[in-house]
Amino acid sequence: MKRWIQAMGTGMQGSRDLSYEEAVEAAHEMARGDSTDAQCAAFLMALCMKGEADEELMAFIDVFRSYSLNFHTFADSLNCAGPTEGRQYFPITLPVSLLLASVGFSQVLHGGDSLPPRQGTAMKELLESFGVAIDLSVKAWETMLFHLHIGFLHTDQLCPPLGKLKQVREQLGLRTVMNTVEKVINPVRSLNMIIGVNQRKAMESLIPISIRSGFQNVYIVNGIEGSEDLPIYQNRTIRIVTPWGDESRVVEPQKFGFMSEPLQPLSKDDQVTMVRRIIAGEDSEELKRERDHVIFNTGLRLMWFDKVGSYEEGFQLAESLLQRKEAHKVMQRWVDQSHHFTLQDHPKIRDSSAKIG
């Protein structure tokens, strides 16, 4: 690892990008555990300071994918990994994904524990609060995705080498190439991806690798706290990447009649409570801001991925699904079936599945 750190330098004369083959070798050293934590940290810092080249990014993506669990292909699914720092605001993607799953559009959620520089609530924590069992065999997970059209994979289980780097990433406390790797690891080879970025300039580095990573329809979103969730209280930019090129677009919620005050930070318990109430069909004025965000983002994704004929149709369908408690039904089946498969995989475990009320 030392030679690759020296090759990159730290902005001094003679520093350079690594070739794809060199970066592959460095990534393998890191993934196999052949490098110390200090060496891994120094490499990631040097790469971050220099700026990751496309070939370096692709090398790390390809290598860490090769160390991941092998799942069957679900090409028509939507791949979605939330912000690696977790959520401090209402987790819009969770109810949105449940609604999309309820109409047969498979949703593949994945992510790790929340990391610095900001530590919010990770998707894993939210799902466990609902009673979803995360620790499943590959076969059980695939069966659930096939029948429920939704599933979550914890990064540490999906790609053990990424899990082993958690401590290094926590100590660094900054975004590195591993944040991108974690988001585009694509466990079931989805053709569709939605990915959030913190800054518009971060979109540029994702554009050339999106299609090379095997995706066909990619929406890069400058969303709330770097997530894939768009606000309805201000305009935001998205980039759409396909094999035929990329397009920049400004999403203007007001054009569709959506507007609100900014969302407020919420504790994990408050996030869970609010999701419960919204997916249970509650439409009180107290929840209007968050509920409208769910309807808006669901409608967008239904339209973006060709599930409806217009944005208005998407918003109407989202509202109807919420009123019929379709997201609640999906969540309840998710809880029940995940515990059913956990009991099959681990017969000694007693039934402790929780109803979501």
Side-chain angles (χ1 to χ4, degrees):
M1 186 62 72
K2 183 178 178 181
R3 64 189 184 280
W4 306 129
I5 297 171
Q6 291 174 332
M8 289 187 295
T10 55
M12 301 175 292
Q13 186 176 2
S15 63
R16 64 176 176 84
D17 295 335
L18 300 181
S19 68
Y20 176 83
E21 291 74 20
E22 290 172 332
V24 162
E25 189 171 338
H28 274 300
E29 285 187 32
M30 195 176 290
R32 288 194 305 261
D34 293 343
S35 305
T36 66
D37 284 356
Q39 289 173 327
C40 290
F43 179 90
L44 293 173
M45 178 68 79
L47 192 61
C48 183
M49 291 178 66
K50 177 184 71 65
E52 300 94 345
D54 295 348
E55 295 302 310
E56 293 166 336
L57 275 171
M58 279 310 309
F60 268 77
I61 291 167
D62 290 342
V63 168
F64 278 84
R65 279 180 174 177
S66 73
Y67 285 87
S68 300
L69 296 178
N70 187 26
F71 290 87
H72 283 304
T73 297
F74 289 83
D76 293 334
S77 61
L78 176 60
N79 183 282
C80 177
T84 53
E85 301 91 347
R87 307 265 180 163
Q88 292 185 313
Y89 295 83
F90 177 68
I92 299 166
T93 274
L94 179 52
V96 168
S97 297
L98 291 167
L99 289 173
L100 295 174
S102 75
V103 295
F105 185 18
S106 294
Q107 305 294 298
V108 181
L109 308 173
H110 55 95
D113 300 326
S114 58
L115 295 169
R118 182 200 75 238
Q119 287 190 289
T121 304
M123 181 63 73
K124 176 177 179 286
E125 297 176 78
L126 291 172
L127 293 174
E128 288 177 334
S129 295
F130 277 92
V132 175
I134 303 299
D135 186 12
L136 299 171
S137 69
V138 170
K139 182 178 179 181
W141 190 90
E142 289 173 339
T143 301
M144 286 182 55
L145 181 64
F146 180 80
H147 290 290
L148 299 180
H149 303 292
I150 195 166
F152 173 82
L153 289 167
H154 188 226
T155 301
D156 291 6
Q157 298 169 343
L158 169 62
C159 182
L162 267 176
K164 291 177 182 176
L165 284 169
K166 183 191 303 180
Q167 185 175 350
V168 172
R169 296 169 69 192
E170 287 177 344
Q171 291 173 351
L172 279 176
L174 50 79
R175 298 179 182 91
T176 69
V177 65
M178 305 316 299
N179 291 55
T180 302
V181 170
E182 185 174 322
K183 286 194 172 188
V184 303
I185 202 161
N186 199 13
V188 300
R189 293 168 291 281
S190 308
L191 294 181
N192 308 298
M193 178 174 71
I194 184 167
I195 183 170
V197 296
N198 285 280
Q199 299 175 335
R200 289 178 58 179
K201 66 179 182 180
M203 294 179 174
E204 301 303 323
S205 63
L206 287 169
I207 291 170
I209 68 168
S210 295
I211 301 303
R212 289 180 62 184
S213 299
F215 297 100
Q216 294 290 303
N217 300 290
V218 179
Y219 281 75
I220 307 172
V221 177
N222 177 214
I224 301 170
E225 55 185 340
S227 76
E228 61 285 357
D229 301 327
L230 282 162
I232 60 173
Y233 46 82
Q234 60 183 198
N235 300 343
R236 289 292 177 94
T237 300
I238 64 171
R239 292 293 284 268
I240 307 165
V241 187
T242 71
W244 300 275
D246 70 275
E247 171 192 354
S248 180
R249 186 180 299 174
V250 176
V251 178
E252 302 176 83
Q254 297 81 4
K255 284 190 174 181
F256 301 104
F258 289 91
M259 60 187 67
S260 78
E261 296 297 317
L263 297 175
Q264 298 300 311
L266 297 171
S267 68
K268 181 188 76 172
D269 290 342
D270 287 341
Q271 290 181 37
V272 171
T273 297
M274 194 165 289
V275 172
R276 286 183 189 275
R277 293 171 65 185
I278 288 175
I279 67 174
E282 185 175 335
D283 61 353
S284 64
E285 187 63 27
E286 178 187 355
L287 299 176
K288 178 175 172 53
R289 178 172 52 190
E290 288 76 14
R291 190 173 183 272
D292 282 353
H293 274 85
V294 173
I295 292 170
F296 182 67
N297 280 273
T298 302
L300 291 181
R301 296 186 203 182
L302 286 168
M303 179 61 185
W304 288 348
F305 297 101
D306 299 323
K307 305 303 177 184
V308 292
S310 67
Y311 286 112
E312 289 76 12
E313 183 183 348
F315 303 140
Q316 291 169 7
L317 176 57
E319 186 165 14
S320 173
L321 293 170
L322 279 178
Q323 291 172 346
R324 296 181 349 230
K325 305 181 182 181
E326 297 300 331
H328 177 278
K329 295 172 187 175
V330 172
M331 177 62 87
Q332 188 62 70
R333 291 196 296 271
W334 197 0
V335 170
D336 293 342
Q337 291 195 28
S338 67
H339 282 276
H340 169 74
F341 282 115
T342 300
L343 288 169
Q344 286 187 335
D345 292 338
H346 307 286
K348 293 182 180 180
I349 298 177
R350 293 290 179 263
D351 184 5
S352 60
S353 60
K355 298 296 181 183
I356 64 174

